[in-house]
Amino acid sequence: MFKLSFGQQAAVSFPNNNLVYKDTETPLQIAVAGYGCKDIIIKCSNGKISPIDACRYIYTPAKIGETLIDVYVIKKRDTLLTGRQMITVKERPLPEANIAGFKGGRITKGNLKAQGGVAASFYVSGNHWESCEVNNYHVVIIRDKKIIFEHFNQGNTFNPQVAEAFRTLLKEDRVAFFNMSASLADGKNYVLKGLEFLIDN
């Protein structure tokens, strides 16, 4: 809960420590001492704020930088500014790829074989991540510094060719995924950071 100015009469609650991301919907909650939700008006200097129910809103910033959230109350026939909060807006982090929740490092052959494909998700706010669709990936298996398997796959799944190659893995083999891309709900494609695993046993 972030206390506002003017005698700390109002508070704005954000789930992620006063930081939001461009073009990303972030919930916020407003409370003003002595006033009901119907008497509160919220304005911002960047993007838009949409009400969803009593004292709860969705904030969507349009550009990076600093933005102000202004809280007004209706008192008799007047509209009074009762609080102001500075919010930092940053670019949304790129989606991150993972396999079984791992983003690289040591993994057992059995654990890798048991997975259905490459997953990806992007950070929204607080502890909230949303999944996105992996479009393609390139996978290689390296043994004794030599590439013994290479495949470019459309989609996120481990097709039969990749699954068969994983069944032949040996301890200390390296499995690398790169040239990966993913799509978000906004229709944009994003390049994903590569993954590299060392087979444990």
Side-chain angles (χ1 to χ4, degrees):
M1 189 70 74
F2 297 93
K3 297 295 185 182
L4 303 184
S5 53
F6 308 110
Q8 295 186 332
Q9 294 177 332
V12 180
S13 176
F14 275 92
N16 50 344
N17 298 325
N18 210 27
L19 173 66
V20 297
Y21 295 102
K22 176 186 172 185
D23 298 325
T24 300
E25 294 184 347
T26 301
L28 61 88
Q29 189 166 352
I30 309 295
V32 180
Y35 291 88
C37 297
K38 61 182 177 59
D39 298 319
I40 300 173
I41 299 173
I42 311 300
K43 296 182 180 181
C44 64
S45 60
N46 171 11
K48 65 179 181 179
I49 294 180
S50 305
I52 53 177
D53 58 32
C55 291
R56 295 176 63 238
Y57 306 81
I58 292 292
Y59 173 51
T60 309
K63 58 186 178 181
I64 61 174
E66 303 295 327
T67 184
L68 290 173
I69 304 292
D70 288 335
V71 180
Y72 296 83
V73 294
I74 301 172
K75 186 174 183 180
K76 296 183 179 180
R77 295 184 178 181
D78 295 327
T79 301
L80 306 175
L81 177 66
T82 188
R84 171 172 285 171
Q85 179 70 44
M86 182 72 73
I87 303 297
T88 301
V89 181
K90 292 187 176 182
E91 288 285 0
R92 182 168 61 183
L94 292 175
E96 297 182 14
N98 72 85
I99 295 176
F102 296 101
K103 299 177 182 178
R106 289 187 171 271
I107 192 171
T108 65
K109 173 182 175 179
N111 198 354
L112 184 59
K113 284 170 50 182
Q115 307 312 310
V118 180
S121 58
F122 69 97
Y123 178 75
V124 178
S125 63
N127 295 319
H128 180 47
W129 291 70
E130 290 190 6
S131 61
C132 52
E133 182 178 356
V134 175
N135 300 320
N136 54 260
Y137 64 86
H138 200 135
V139 57
V140 297
I141 298 176
I142 303 170
R143 181 177 296 160
D144 298 326
K145 299 181 180 180
K146 296 180 180 180
I147 296 176
I148 64 169
F149 176 80
E150 183 174 4
H151 178 73
F152 182 77
N153 196 82
Q154 293 291 342
N156 73 307
T157 59
F158 295 154
N159 64 18
Q161 188 178 354
V162 175
E164 178 60 31
F166 287 171
R167 282 192 284 270
T168 68
L169 288 170
L170 301 177
K171 186 177 181 180
E172 302 301 321
D173 282 352
R174 293 187 177 274
V175 183
F177 298 84
F178 55 99
N179 287 344
M180 295 186 288
S181 70
S183 298
L184 302 186
D186 58 14
K188 295 180 181 179
N189 292 327
Y190 296 85
V191 176
L192 302 177
K193 182 180 178 181
L195 304 171
E196 184 173 338
F197 295 92
L198 180 65
I199 302 303
D200 217 359
N201 53 45

